């Protein structure tokens, strides 16, 4: 441990993943005087015109955001993170449901048009891996990098995880953590599958971050800022708060906690 103020950078695939997974830890770090930033990668605007796809029709109805859903989602993220005392940065790669290729006639065709496609192979025409390769560590003062583990196997989470691993190799002085993505992490076998899917393999040890009442309350209040996203996972904000409390107890084996994984040695 050094006396210098540490700087924690969380890589978040979407506008909510870091807070859903590590909102309590972020609160704790800020309360301990450390600095925290959350860099959300797939926060780009949709293409114009939008492609037609079943998943977009469904998502836009579910999010119920007026106007451009990305503007609304970015505002939710800034509110949640400023409440926790963390910086918010957004990169303009669109969510995979907005990534397209074009027909010879110039019509946009969705690369990930269905629910199933979100968990399948990365589309060969997807330029996100190349864009990520060209994206540096946004904060050179970073001392600890928190990377999504890929629990659940969403295509954007796998892409950001692999990019995070490349950043870790390019910046060998950093402390590296892999966070379990909540609520996917609660699905049977999701974390084990993510650990087994790491390629090249990594020897990781779990690290529990216990959450006191303040940290848990701050996490719930921050998640509540993502109003458009609540209905994806829960009935309403109250149902979310109950689930977050209950699930944190499961993670910590009786005391509320969040879990990350750290390379051994
Ligand atoms: Zn996500």
């Amino acid at each position: 441990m050094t006396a210098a103020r540490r700087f924690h950078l969380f890589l978040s695939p979407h506008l909510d993943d870091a807070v859903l997974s590590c909102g309590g830890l972020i609160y704790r770090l800020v309360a301990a005087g450390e600095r925290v930033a959350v860099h959300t990668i797939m926060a780009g605007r949709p293409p114009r015109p939008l492609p037609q796809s079943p998943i977009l029709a469904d998502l836009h109805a579910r999010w119920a955001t007026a106007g451009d859903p990305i503007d609304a989602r970015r505002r939710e993220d800034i509110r949640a993170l400023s409440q926790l005392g963390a910086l918010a940065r957004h990169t303009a790669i669109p969510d995979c449901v907005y990534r397209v290729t074009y027909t010879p006639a110039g019509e946009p065709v969705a690369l990930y048009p269905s629910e199933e496609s979100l968990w399948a192979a990365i589309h060969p025409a997807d330029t996100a891996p190349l864009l990520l390769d060209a994206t540096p560590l946004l904060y050179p003062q970073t001392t600890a990098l928190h990377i999504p583990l890929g629990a659940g196997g969403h295509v954007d989470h796998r892409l950001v995880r692999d990019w995070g691993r490349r950043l870790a190799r390019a910046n060998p002085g950093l402390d590296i953590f892999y966070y379990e993505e909540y609520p996917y992490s609660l699905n049977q076998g999701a974390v084990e599958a993510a650990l087994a899917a790491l390629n090249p393999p990594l020897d990781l040890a779990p690290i529990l971050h216990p959450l006191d009442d303040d940290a848990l309350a701050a996490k719930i209040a921050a998640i509540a800022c993502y109003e458009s996203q609540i209905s994806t996972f829960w009935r309403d904000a109250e149902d979310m708060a109950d689930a977050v409390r209950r699930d944190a107890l499961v993670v910590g084996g009786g005391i509320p906690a969040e879990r990350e994984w750290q390379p051994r040695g």
Side-chain angles (χ1 to χ4, degrees):
M1 292 291 281
T2 71
R5 226 170 146 203
R6 290 165 52 75
F7 191 103
H8 294 259
L9 178 60
F10 288 77
L11 303 181
S12 191
H14 302 116
L15 292 157
D16 64 3
D17 287 308
V19 170
L20 281 168
S21 311
C22 304
L25 171 61
I26 292 170
Y27 174 87
R28 273 187 39 184
L29 292 170
V30 171
E34 302 193 3
R35 287 185 301 157
V36 179
V38 174
H39 177 190
T40 301
I41 317 304
M42 277 72 176
R45 292 185 194 296
R48 292 279 176 248
L50 271 182
Q52 299 284 330
S53 80
I55 196 155
L56 276 182
D58 176 46
L59 283 178
H60 285 185
R62 204 195 301 161
W63 292 347
T65 50
D68 184 339
I70 300 305
D71 273 347
R73 294 195 60 191
R74 286 186 180 201
R75 281 196 299 274
E76 292 173 348
D77 188 57
I78 290 165
R79 240 183 86 212
L81 290 172
S82 62
Q83 228 170 260
L84 290 171
L87 297 166
R89 285 286 289 272
H90 301 146
T91 289
I93 297 177
D95 188 302
C96 71
V97 297
Y98 294 126
R99 298 206 289 277
V100 295
T101 187
Y102 292 91
T103 65
E107 293 294 321
V109 179
L111 295 178
Y112 302 96
S114 64
E115 180 73 25
E116 300 72 49
S117 67
L118 306 183
W119 321 99
I122 290 158
H123 195 289
D126 192 351
T127 55
L130 290 172
L131 293 168
L132 282 170
D133 265 342
T135 306
L137 192 68
L138 276 193
Y139 295 89
Q141 68 270 48
T142 299
T143 56
L145 183 64
H146 300 256
I147 300 169
L149 180 64
H154 187 289
V155 60
D156 285 344
H157 288 237
R158 286 180 274 143
L159 287 170
V160 173
R161 177 200 61 206
D162 292 345
W163 172 60
R165 295 191 68 182
R166 292 197 291 280
L167 288 179
R169 279 196 293 276
N171 297 273
L174 299 178
D175 287 334
I176 303 297
F177 301 89
Y178 293 86
Y179 66 83
E180 297 179 1
E181 295 98 321
Y182 179 74
Y184 305 115
S185 52
L186 269 283
N187 295 344
Q188 185 78 30
V191 169
E192 290 76 5
L195 291 168
L198 291 167
N199 182 26
L202 264 177
D203 186 17
L204 299 176
I207 164 170
L208 274 184
H209 302 293
L211 305 180
D212 61 17
D213 289 349
D214 287 350
L216 197 53
K219 174 177 186 167
I220 289 166
I223 294 175
C225 293
Y226 298 96
E227 286 170 35
S228 68
Q229 301 304 299
I230 298 285
S231 69
T232 299
F233 301 114
W234 301 287
R235 247 186 346 266
D236 52 29
E238 204 177 318
D239 185 36
M240 176 274 289
D242 290 344
V244 169
R245 287 182 193 285
R246 195 174 55 237
D247 295 338
L249 284 171
V250 173
V251 170
I255 53 156
E258 293 167 344
R259 184 166 42 229
E260 291 189 299
W261 294 78
Q262 214 178 4
R264 282 183 220 267

